[in-house]
Amino acid sequence: MITLYTLPPAFGLRNVSPFCLKTEMALTFLKQPFELIHEGDPRKAPKGKLPFMDIDGERIADSELILLKLDQCFNGGLYSELSPQELAIGRAFTRLAEEHLYWIMAASRWLEDDWFPNVVQGFFGELPGLIRSFIANSARSTVRKTYDLQGLGRHTKTEQAQFVRDDLAAISNQIEAERYITGSRLTVFDFNVASILVGLMDNTPATWTSVIARDYPVLREYVDRIQAEVGVYAKET
């Protein structure tokens, strides 16, 4: 029995976290039945973040560790058939998307004064007014400190925008040349990258990073195609 715990819908996205979305994609790709449970408080998760998975009573936290566990449990269905070159390319693009592009996307939600009310409503809307404001602003302060420690928060908005363009151009060029992240076939690394891109492109209303992404039509086609091929979609219907 597999249970996947993810964040509730927000910002027009059925699955607001790219890390939750890629895990759901992997389970679906492996054709494994699972129960999806929304957890609005990440503090209840084993490592204080989502997703986490319960598989036969064992709890696994962190999406990367979840994918490794799924690969072990289901005959290497995610990684075993990949060549060393595919693994190298896939991991490089995953790090670009998850450890660089993701943080700028998150900051464009949390740290922009004109967009932050959407975060308050999407993540904390069910709380009473005074408590909602206190908890939302406390969480925002944590995001700001983390973004600064990560290093990206020390750059100007113009510099961050250039980073976004460089990342999107790198992914776009790879997709245009190869069709998928590692080459000519769908792999687990497409779940990793496409989930970040769809969160950036399809959250509603658009953030400034969403606006930049409109300049890369190859990526729009890519995320729509990956979601259709797997049968898992980020947007609410």
Side-chain angles (χ1 to χ4, degrees), residues 6-236:
T6 73
L7 286 166
F11 318 146
L13 298 172
R14 180 190 61 82
N15 204 326
V16 70
S17 164
F19 304 101
C20 296
L21 179 63
K22 77 171 188 182
T23 309
E24 185 180 352
M25 283 182 164
L27 281 163
T28 304
F29 175 77
L30 291 169
K31 296 181 172 57
Q32 295 303 316
F34 64 97
E35 181 182 9
L36 185 66
I37 294 181
H38 292 144
E39 174 53 70
D41 187 354
R43 294 173 300 177
K44 296 180 180 179
K47 293 185 178 180
K49 62 178 184 176
L50 294 162
F52 72 92
M53 178 181 70
D54 188 304
I55 179 166
D56 296 330
E58 180 184 2
R59 287 190 163 189
I60 311 294
D62 185 86
S63 61
E64 186 170 350
L65 297 178
I66 291 173
L67 296 189
L68 289 172
K69 179 67 174 180
L70 291 175
D71 189 66
Q72 294 169 5
C73 290
F74 301 110
N75 302 315
L78 296 178
Y79 298 105
S80 67
E81 294 185 2
L82 301 182
S83 70
Q85 183 181 22
E86 287 175 314
L87 290 169
I89 294 171
R91 285 174 177 147
F93 274 100
T94 293
R95 295 293 182 257
L96 178 152
E98 295 186 350
E99 304 298 337
H100 196 258
L101 185 57
Y102 166 78
W103 283 106
I104 307 178
M105 178 187 76
S108 73
R109 292 173 174 173
W110 281 85
L111 303 184
E112 296 296 321
D113 291 339
D114 61 346
W115 216 91
F116 184 62
N118 297 295
V119 173
V120 176
Q121 181 59 38
F123 288 153
F124 310 104
E126 295 184 358
L127 297 175
L130 290 176
I131 296 176
R132 177 172 65 242
S133 178
F134 174 79
I135 293 179
N137 283 297
S138 177
R140 189 186 197 195
S141 178
T142 299
V143 171
R144 192 184 303 278
K145 290 177 182 177
T146 303
Y147 195 50
D148 183 73
L149 287 171
Q150 200 274 350
L152 286 167
R154 305 183 187 192
H155 297 290
T156 67
K157 184 80 162 289
T158 299
E159 291 166 339
Q160 292 177 55
Q162 188 58 53
F163 293 153
V164 172
R165 291 187 182 95
D166 290 343
D167 288 352
L168 294 178
I171 300 169
S172 181
N173 290 338
Q174 176 70 1
I175 297 304
E176 193 166 23
E178 300 288 352
R179 189 165 169 81
Y180 297 96
I181 285 297
T182 64
S184 61
R185 60 172 173 164
L186 178 73
T187 72
V188 63
F189 297 114
D190 292 294
F191 312 154
N192 299 354
V193 175
S195 62
I196 297 290
L197 293 175
V198 75
L200 185 152
M201 300 171 83
D202 286 342
N203 58 186
T204 305
T207 65
W208 65 264
T209 56
S210 308
V211 173
I212 291 176
R214 293 171 185 168
D215 293 334
Y216 298 87
V218 168
L219 298 182
R220 175 76 270 170
E221 185 277 334
Y222 170 69
V223 298
D224 290 344
R225 173 163 49 85
I226 297 305
Q227 291 177 99
E229 288 185 24
V230 181
V232 175
Y233 297 85
K235 291 181 70 172
E236 288 187 289

